[in-house]
Amino acid sequence: MNECVLGQILHDLHLPLHAELWFKMATRLTEGKDEGVKVLFQRTRIQRMYASLCNSLPVDVEFSDFGKCVVAKKPVKEGQELFTEKPLIMGQVLDKANNFRLSCDNCAASLLTAEDYFGGNLKNMDTDLRELVTECWPDIPTVCCDKCQKVRYCSDDCRSQAWVSQHELICPARNEATRKLHQISLDLGYGVAQDGVWKNLWDAHFSPVFLARVWSSIILAAKHMMKESGGKAPTADQWAKARSPFRK
């Protein structure tokens, strides 16, 4: 199959993105029935996504007969840290039983205060117990986005990181569409529908802002790469790199 041969040639030339596209085309032409082509496609994709990330790590990510797996490059000592991983995107949970905004919108550090946890019971506690809670409960630093005053963070650093990585485009103060999504989140999925009736508009357990955050992250990543290269518009390669962390 010519597509598969071209894919292998591009793979050998260390052009994994282009090789992956040809292997994907070959997979479609065989209607997914050729297991060999599917394996080549998955191995090329895994290499493209993880090879550069694993250069300095004692592990590799490979595609085996059992699927994607982490493989040690050398013997691992007991207790040795192999790698750490930060989530690409985090989103608030819509929890009717608890205030879903009780975590930093960038790193998910808890912003839960004693007042949030105990509610009105805090004032009704015995004096000694209330003083103990007040003394032992950690101080919760909180800063808000200085534009919208709606999104909360645990520090100025987290606020700055969030702005650069995704919040710049979806800040409610700058984007009418995401302002509506934030309001739906605040109302735990409820809002006024097009027919003017107050109803449940979002039935998922996570905030609808989560999906906007994914696209915002992709757009801003491409924008930053464009600026670093001195370009006036993101290239196709820069868009592909910006999207790649979110591809299956």
Side-chain angles (χ1 to χ4, degrees):
M1 184 184 299
N2 292 335
E3 290 80 6
C4 193
V5 172
L6 285 170
Q8 189 63 59
I9 292 173
L10 291 167
H11 179 273
D12 294 340
L13 291 173
H14 305 291
L15 297 170
L17 180 60
H18 297 83
E20 182 182 326
L21 293 174
W22 281 102
F23 284 138
K24 187 174 184 179
M25 187 181 301
T27 302
R28 289 176 176 173
L29 289 174
T30 60
E31 298 180 347
K33 297 177 181 179
D34 191 323
E35 293 297 325
V37 173
K38 289 197 293 185
V39 169
L40 285 172
F41 170 70
Q42 291 295 344
R43 286 180 176 171
T44 302
R45 169 169 283 191
I46 294 300
Q47 181 185 28
R48 173 182 62 80
M49 294 178 65
Y50 294 99
S52 60
L53 298 176
C54 295
N55 282 338
S56 59
L57 299 178
V59 296
D60 274 324
V61 178
E62 299 179 357
F63 188 82
S64 71
D65 295 338
F66 303 99
K68 186 168 61 176
C69 59
V70 177
V71 179
K73 297 178 183 177
K74 55 185 179 181
V76 178
K77 297 180 181 179
E78 183 178 352
Q80 177 184 350
E81 182 180 280
L82 301 179
F83 63 91
T84 57
E85 187 175 32
K86 182 180 179 180
L88 289 171
I89 294 291
M90 289 184 288
Q92 303 284 1
V93 175
L94 301 185
D95 186 351
K96 295 181 180 180
N98 299 287
N99 187 333
F100 76 100
R101 295 171 293 163
L102 300 179
S103 63
C104 173
D105 208 59
N106 182 62
C107 73
S110 175
L111 301 179
L112 188 72
T113 64
E115 290 78 8
D116 294 320
Y117 185 79
F118 292 104
N121 293 328
L122 184 62
K123 294 181 178 180
N124 298 327
M125 286 181 181
D126 293 337
T127 301
D128 291 343
L129 182 57
R130 184 171 63 251
E131 289 179 352
L132 180 63
V133 169
T134 303
E135 179 182 347
C136 297
W137 199 277
D139 292 330
I140 308 295
T142 302
V143 295
C144 292
C145 169
D146 53 7
K147 304 291 191 303
C148 66
Q149 299 296 318
K150 292 182 180 293
V151 181
R152 299 197 296 170
Y153 305 98
C154 66
S155 66
D156 290 331
D157 285 342
C158 268
R159 178 170 59 184
S160 298
Q161 291 173 18
W163 184 263
V164 172
S165 64
Q166 44 84 15
H167 191 62
E168 178 184 354
L169 292 183
I170 60 174
C171 176
R174 308 181 68 190
N175 189 315
E176 176 62 27
T178 54
R179 184 182 305 132
K180 294 178 181 178
L181 292 180
H182 275 280
Q183 191 58 50
I184 292 173
S185 295
L186 290 172
D187 293 325
L188 299 177
Y190 284 81
V192 179
Q194 292 183 345
D195 58 6
V197 178
W198 179 265
K199 61 177 67 174
N200 189 2
L201 301 177
W202 181 258
D203 201 29
H205 69 281
F206 58 89
S207 167
V209 180
F210 179 89
L211 301 176
R213 187 174 297 185
V214 171
W215 286 107
S216 177
S217 298
I218 292 172
I219 293 169
L220 287 176
K223 176 183 175 182
H224 296 325
M225 285 187 279
M226 174 198 73
K227 286 186 174 180
E228 290 177 359
S229 65
K232 295 183 179 180
T235 64
D237 188 52
Q238 288 168 343
W239 279 117
K241 288 180 179 178
R243 292 194 303 267
S244 63
F246 299 95
R247 299 179 68 182
K248 293 183 180 179

